[in-house]
Each structure stands twice: as structure tokens, then as C-alpha cells.
Amino acid sequence: MDTIFVSIFIILAGGTAALFLSRRFILMQRVVIGTTALGCAAGLCYALTRLFGNTAVATATWAWLHIFELSFTVDSVSLFFLIPVFLIPPLVLVYSLDYLTEGKKNLRIAINYFLTTLLVVSMVMVVTAANMITFALAWEIMSIASFFLVIFDYQDKEKRKAGYLYLIFVQGGAMFLFAAFAIIYQHTGSFDFAAVSTMPDNQKLLVFILALIAFGSKAGLFPLHIWMSGSYSSAPGHLPALMSGVMSKMGIYGILRIYLLLDQPSPIFANIVLICGILTGLTGVVYALVRQNIKKLLAYSSMENIGIILIGLGIGMLGAGENNQAMAFFGFAGALLHVFNHSVFKSLLFMGAAAVEQQTGTNSIENLGGLLKKMPITGKTFLVGSTAISGLPPFAGFVSEFLIYYGAFQGVDTHRLSFILAIFAIISLALIGGLAAAVFTKVAGLAFLGAARTDKVEQAQEVGFSMKLVMILLAGACLFIGLVPAPFIRTAFAGIRDITFIAGYDSQAFLATATQLSQTTLLFVCIVLLVALLRQFLYLNKRIRQAGTWGCGFTKPTVRIQYTGASYADEMVGFFSWLTPVTRLYSGITRIFPRRATWHMQSEDVALMNYERVLVRPLYNLVYKLRWIQHGNIQLYIAYIIAAMIVLLVFVL
């Protein structure tokens, strides 16, 4: 554990140094990036070495305030989650070299760097916490640091509002977490996680549901997701890569950890998680389909991938409940591998969106177009990320989703309810994958192909070197994982090594299948490259004529006849109108020689609508009626306090 503490110290020292170096901007950036990279490299080496070293669980304990103990431990699950925590932040900071440029906000950028390192350290503490005190402390630090990162541009009212909504949800989630911890402490008399399994069985389901709400609000579980689109689109462009790619996985870690601590492989836990995953995945991808802002679309896409991960966890839990080791093994392994893969391709996509916004001043698909010619590196890497997140071979997303499919098919011979859920999970995964492909063909086709819709987009240029470098590295990782999946599958298998339900399962036969899959994928890529080379050879020294794109009968096509995001998604959205109410405003054509016609489509998030209708408005009306309590009379305020104390004393006695 000493290496972990050293890496935490180095990362935090670099963030603190940024506060003192804000006037020397270039030096500040170099120091923060250098120290964070050094600390993360040390932590990553420790995690990988220990994960593959098959060594015993490590622990460390420190006294805190002479009352509590801060306890830390690492097992195979926590070591696996440490990989994206240590891998992605240095890349995000390198990307920021050309994204956060020197100007009037140097001190604010320095604070931003400090909070980023604090966020990284808090995530390390969350994953390694061994008791409730340590976990709650780390969880709160993570929530507060991320809140201040979201309101970086706090002068903007909309961004401030998005930050407050995020804070409400994370603190609301923390209340459920503390309630779960209180029940555990009431029955065990200990803050130690090791005592959780000794709870009475009839209380375990209540604790799990409270924890699921708490961690689900961080991960973006439906209907606790409504903070995501505003927060990810409000934070500075490089930070959603860290928040969506890594921080949201702390919610997934919490759900898996509390399930393992309860040591209760009842099918009811699996059913809850599986249904939540299916609902979250389907809702997320449908909402992504109707969004025209790329960052908000990616936020809902994150929700979709959280759903896929939960489906994997649900299949694993279902296998554990049914004593089906193969189903449990591949469900858990697929979920963990998708955690890692999502951290890679979602970081890439958010960085691509930030690059587009930096150069064009907008993220609205309706105003973009033709960017592949202006920003070829950004466009091509974004296409790679889009293919990977759609689960298509030969990229990363395909491998992890394949494992989840494989686990689900292992459950088709179980009894009736589990069989139905397994089949339903398979159908849902297929539907989510198809819709995800539609979402990202919309983004890639309308933003990067066609012609520019505005002068600002027409003048866009490729981004700086550090931004291009990081996007190329992440795109290369998406391709490499897809082409050579065996090492990453072994890493996921090592990550679930300490889960007792699957102890002793032999996965060698599947690794042989994975090797064959890799060889098939490589053969496919070689054939594609060979065909491309053959085409080049056949056209060598031949005259190649270029002409305008076919204009569908229009002699002078303009950007006005290009598909818009709304028109592209309209037919598909209509099928899911029960999930996302759509309002269409069409001026119509009423004359032989019509004037300008307009068509507008607006979709709603049903969760947000119902929060406003059921919770926010009644609460606002109640508070408005009680405003007479606040009158400025200090004597009455003291009377309120005394009355509250008397009520509490009566309640206690």
C-alpha cells in the first residue's frame, strides 16, 4: 500500500504547487502534468503488478482525530478500478496544455488543476477504502471537488444552475449512502466493511436498495441521471472526459462493492440490477438520439453505457444466484472490461467534442458540417471512438459487449424467471447497440461530413499538438484493444479473481476462443488493407476525374438541403414516443407559391418533467407558503431553536 500513498502524495503535491505558480502559467502546467503523470505511473505500475502477481490482499490503517480509523485495502476488484483512475487523468491534463491557454483566468485555471488532482486522489481513496468512515470521507471530497469543477465558469447562470443540480443529486445520494451505513452500523456495531456480511439477511435487501440509489445517482442510473447532460456540457471541455470516463465508474464500483460485502447471492439483487440496467441503457440511447448538442448527446450516451455495464453486473449476479459459474464469470468480467473500455472511448469522444467547440464556438450538430476536411485528425479519431462505442468490430466496445453476450447465453438453460431475464438482456443489448450506431452515424455524418453550415465552421482549423496527440493515443488504444483483446480480457479475468462466487472457474477454453476471435479480426483488417492497396495499384498512373457530389436532382445544392439532426432522428424517435415525448411545430404550406416554411422538433426527458411536476413545483409552493417564517426577528429565531431542541429531547427520551 505504500506505493499508493506515495502516488497520492505526489499527485496532491503537484496540484498544490499549481496554486503557488499561477503567475507562471507555462511552468504551472508543466509541474502539474509532470507530477500527476509520475504519481499515476507509480500507482498504475503497482496496480498492474499486484493484479497479475496473484498476491494477498494488502491493508493499511491510520488513526484519525483520535476517534476514527482511516483504513485502506486493495483486492483484485479495487486494483482493476485503479487502472482507469491512474490511466486517464494524465492524458486529460496533457490535452489541457493546448485547451486551457494563458489569459485572464490563470488563477482560476490553477484552482481547476488543484481540484482535478484532488478529484483523482479522492477516487483512489474511494476504491481503496476499507471502512465506512474512509469511504464516506473520500466520497464527499470527490463530490465537492467535482462540483467546483463543473462551475468553472460560474458567471454563466445556466452553468451555475447545472452545478447546483449536480450538487443536489450527489448530496441527495450521500444521504441514502449514510442511511445504508447507519443500518449496517446498527446491526454490526462496527465501521469496518468486513463486518457487513454478518448483518441479518432480512436487512441486507434494504441496505442494497439504499446503496443502489446512492451510487446510482453518481453513475447516472435512470431516473437519477438528470444532472448529467447539464454538468458535462458546463464543465471545461477536457473535464467531462475525466468525469464521464472515470468518476461515474465510482458509482459502478460502489454497487459492486456493496453487493460483494453483503455476501448474499440472492436472485432478487440480480433482478433489480438487471432491470435497472436495461431501463437505463434503453432510455440513455433514445435520449442521445434526439439530442442535437454533441456534449449532451455524449452525456446521455454515458448513461446508455452505464446501463450496459449494469446489465453485465446483473448477469453476473444472476449467475451467482443460480450457481451458474460460467454465467457469473463472464457477466462480471464483461462489466469490468466495459468499465475500462468506456473510460477510453468516452474520453476520446468528449475530447473530440471539446476540440470542435474550441474551433467552431458551438457543439450544435445543426450548425456544423464538413469538419473532416478542416480538422482531419479530430474527425478521424472521433470516427474511431464512434465505432468503438457502437460495439462494432474491430474496436474496443465489441470485445466487452461480446463477453456480456457470452455470459447471458450461458444462462438460457436456467429456470423460468432467470431464463426470461437473460433473454430480455440479450434483446436489450442488441437494441441498444443498433440505436447507438444510429446515434453516432448521426453525429459523425452531420458534423464531420457534408458542407459547413456557418462561416465560423468554414474557418475551423485543426487543434493544437497536445490535443491531437492524446486523441490519437486514445483512438489507437480503441483499435489495439479490438485487434489484440486477449491481454485485456486476462486483465478483466484477474480483476474478478477475488469474487468468491466464481472461485475455481477455468477460463482457459474461452481464452482460446478469444485468440481465434483476435486472429479473425486481424484477418479482416488485413483483407481491408489489401483491397485498399489493390485499388491504389489499379488506379496508378490513371487519370482520376473529380466532380461534385450527386445533388439528388438539385442543380445547385446548398447546405439547406442537408439532413439536420432532427430530421435524421425523426422516424426512429417516433417509435419511442412513449419514452421521450416529442413536440413538432410545422408551419405548413397553404399557398400555391409558399412562403418560408418552418419545422421544429423538441423532445423531453420524462424524468426531468416528472421531477419538476411531482417534486420541484409542490416543494416550491410549500416553501413559498412558509416564507412568513423568515421575518428577520432574532428573538423568534432563538425561539425556533429552543423549540427544536425540546422536540429532539422529547424524541430521544
Side-chain angles (χ1 to χ4, degrees):
M1 291 292 295
D2 289 345
T3 308
I4 292 289
F5 297 135
V6 170
S7 70
I8 287 176
F9 175 77
I10 294 172
I11 294 168
L12 206 52
T16 308
L19 299 175
F20 299 97
L21 296 172
S22 61
R23 294 186 178 181
R24 303 183 66 180
F25 190 81
I26 303 298
L27 178 63
M28 175 188 71
Q29 283 191 314
R30 274 31 176 198
V31 168
V32 173
I33 293 169
T35 51
T36 305
L38 180 63
C40 287
L44 187 61
C45 287
Y46 173 83
L48 289 173
T49 305
R50 205 164 181 90
L51 193 60
F52 287 104
N54 200 21
T55 50
V57 173
T59 58
T61 302
W62 290 342
W64 184 45
L65 300 177
H66 304 291
I67 302 173
F68 303 114
E69 285 186 342
L70 295 181
S71 296
F72 299 89
T73 186
V74 288
D75 61 1
S76 67
V77 175
S78 55
L79 287 169
F80 184 88
F81 276 86
L82 281 175
I83 295 173
V85 171
F86 283 128
L87 182 65
I88 300 300
L91 296 174
V92 169
L93 291 179
V94 170
Y95 180 90
S96 75
L97 268 173
D98 283 317
Y99 186 79
L100 295 176
T101 52
E102 188 172 7
K104 296 179 181 178
K105 297 181 180 178
N106 288 2
L107 180 59
R108 200 186 301 180
I109 291 173
I111 295 172
N112 184 281
Y113 278 132
F114 169 72
L115 291 170
T116 304
T117 56
L118 191 62
L119 177 62
V120 176
V121 167
S122 65
M123 289 191 290
V124 175
M125 290 174 63
V126 164
V127 171
T128 56
N131 66 20
M132 290 183 271
I133 299 296
T134 312
F135 192 94
L137 179 67
W139 192 261
E140 282 299 291
I141 294 173
M142 180 176 69
S143 299
I144 293 170
S146 54
F147 163 69
F148 284 110
L149 288 172
V150 169
I151 59 167
F152 177 79
D153 290 317
Y154 60 87
Q155 296 96 335
D156 189 317
K157 185 179 177 182
E158 288 300 315
K159 293 182 177 179
R160 214 166 51 238
K161 183 179 173 184
Y164 292 151
L165 184 63
Y166 170 66
L167 187 65
I168 289 170
F169 269 81
V170 295
Q171 291 307 309
M175 287 173 60
F176 282 92
L177 180 64
F178 295 154
F181 284 173
I183 295 172
I184 293 171
Y185 184 77
Q186 182 186 18
H187 290 284
T188 63
S190 171
F191 291 116
D192 201 328
F193 278 159
V196 175
S197 61
T198 62
M199 285 184 61
D201 287 348
N202 59 356
Q203 294 294 314
K204 288 184 176 179
L205 181 60
L206 176 61
V207 169
F208 183 76
I209 291 173
L210 290 172
L212 183 66
I213 295 171
F215 297 128
S217 68
K218 177 67 75 178
L221 199 70
F222 181 84
L224 305 170
H225 66 278
I226 63 170
W227 59 269
M228 294 177 75
S229 63
S231 299
Y232 291 168
S233 59
S234 299
H238 62 297
L239 288 175
L242 184 60
M243 294 175 69
S244 173
V246 185
M247 190 187 73
S248 64
K249 308 306 181 304
M250 297 301 102
I252 297 295
Y253 173 79
I255 293 169
L256 179 58
R257 177 58 66 192
I258 199 72
Y259 171 76
L260 297 177
L261 289 173
L262 289 170
D263 194 23
Q264 180 77 4
S266 167
I268 186 69
F269 296 99
N271 297 345
I272 292 171
V273 172
L274 198 50
I275 291 169
C276 286
I278 291 170
L279 193 58
T280 302
L282 279 174
T283 311
V285 74
V286 171
Y287 287 168
L289 188 60
V290 296
R291 292 295 174 276
Q292 313 309 333
N293 181 297
I294 299 179
K295 280 188 175 179
K296 291 185 177 180
L297 180 149
L298 292 177
Y300 280 110
S301 167
S302 296
M303 183 183 162
E304 167 222 331
N305 280 275
I306 290 296
I308 292 173
I309 294 167
L310 286 177
I311 290 173
L313 287 183
I315 289 169
M317 294 176 187
L318 202 59
E322 296 287 341
N323 290 320
N324 184 336
Q325 272 200 323
M327 187 181 186
F329 188 89
F330 291 107
F332 286 129
L336 258 59
L337 188 55
H338 204 70
V339 164
F340 176 74
N341 286 344
H342 184 250
S343 71
V344 175
F345 51 64
K346 187 47 66 70
S347 298
L348 169 62
L349 290 169
F350 266 117
M351 289 178 185
V356 168
E357 187 177 34
Q358 186 194 55
Q359 292 300 308
T360 65
T362 182
N363 255 313
S364 172
I365 295 171
E366 311 290 23
N367 296 325
L368 298 173
L371 284 175
L372 194 60
K373 300 170 190 168
K374 311 291 179 185
M375 305 170 68
I377 300 296
T378 302
K380 289 171 184 172
T381 53
F382 195 93
L383 287 176
V384 170
S386 300
T387 314
I389 202 170
S390 301
L392 298 175
F395 295 98
F398 171 75
V399 181
S400 47
E401 290 192 28
F402 178 76
L403 279 178
I404 298 174
Y405 273 112
Y406 195 83
F409 277 110
Q410 300 299 316
V412 294
D413 58 349
T414 53
H415 71 73
R416 192 166 58 182
L417 181 59
S418 299
F419 167 78
I420 292 171
L421 286 172
I423 294 297
F424 201 41
I426 292 168
I427 294 170
S428 300
L429 282 171
L431 185 57
I432 291 169
L435 289 172
V439 169
F440 285 95
T441 51
K442 182 181 83 169
V443 182
L446 302 183
F448 292 97
L449 302 180
R453 289 179 167 86
T454 65
D455 292 338
K456 181 77 173 174
V457 175
E458 182 66 38
Q459 295 166 6
Q461 296 179 347
E462 189 54 274
V463 292
F465 174 75
S466 72
M467 296 169 71
K468 286 189 293 186
L469 175 66
V470 174
M471 288 190 288
I472 290 171
L473 286 174
L474 289 172
C478 289
L479 183 59
F480 184 72
I481 295 168
L483 290 176
V484 190
F488 300 93
I489 292 173
R490 284 196 182 92
T491 307
F493 288 176
I496 59 173
R497 183 185 61 220
D498 290 339
I499 297 178
T500 54
F501 311 127
I502 53 174
Y505 181 77
D506 185 6
S507 59
Q508 291 303 314
F510 180 81
L511 287 173
T513 305
T515 304
Q516 292 171 356
L517 184 69
S518 172
Q519 291 169 348
T520 306
T521 307
L522 282 170
L523 180 63
F524 171 74
V525 172
C526 289
I527 290 172
V528 170
L529 290 175
L530 189 63
V531 170
L533 288 173
L534 185 63
R535 180 183 180 279
Q536 289 288 333
F537 175 75
L538 293 175
Y539 279 91
L540 200 63
N541 298 324
K542 290 184 178 178
R543 185 183 175 189
I544 300 174
R545 296 177 59 193
Q546 291 188 342
T549 309
W550 177 54
C552 302
F554 288 88
T555 55
K556 292 184 179 179
T558 69
V559 294
R560 292 178 58 197
I561 67 171
Q562 292 184 143
Y563 258 108
T564 64
S567 59
Y568 183 91
D570 186 39
E571 292 295 328
M572 288 176 278
V573 171
F575 187 74
F576 295 97
S577 57
W578 54 276
L579 193 58
T580 173
V582 176
T583 304
R584 294 179 179 83
L585 300 175
Y586 176 46
S587 62
I589 298 174
T590 56
R591 303 172 60 178
I592 297 176
F593 299 100
R595 295 181 178 176
R596 184 187 181 91
T598 59
W599 185 84
H600 178 73
M601 185 180 79
Q602 183 176 349
S603 60
E604 302 289 345
D605 185 329
V606 288
L608 185 59
M609 285 171 55
N610 286 306
Y611 273 123
E612 289 182 353
R613 186 174 60 85
V614 177
L615 186 63
V616 177
R617 287 178 191 165
L619 188 61
Y620 177 81
N621 291 334
L622 176 65
V623 172
Y624 185 77
K625 289 177 182 174
L626 294 175
R627 69 187 187 283
W628 55 269
I629 295 175
Q630 186 181 8
H631 39 63
N633 190 328
I634 193 167
Q635 288 85 356
L636 283 177
Y637 289 158
I638 294 171
Y640 294 159
I641 295 171
I642 294 171
M645 292 177 67
I646 292 171
V647 171
L648 283 174
L649 283 172
V650 170
F651 179 75
V652 172
L653 295 175

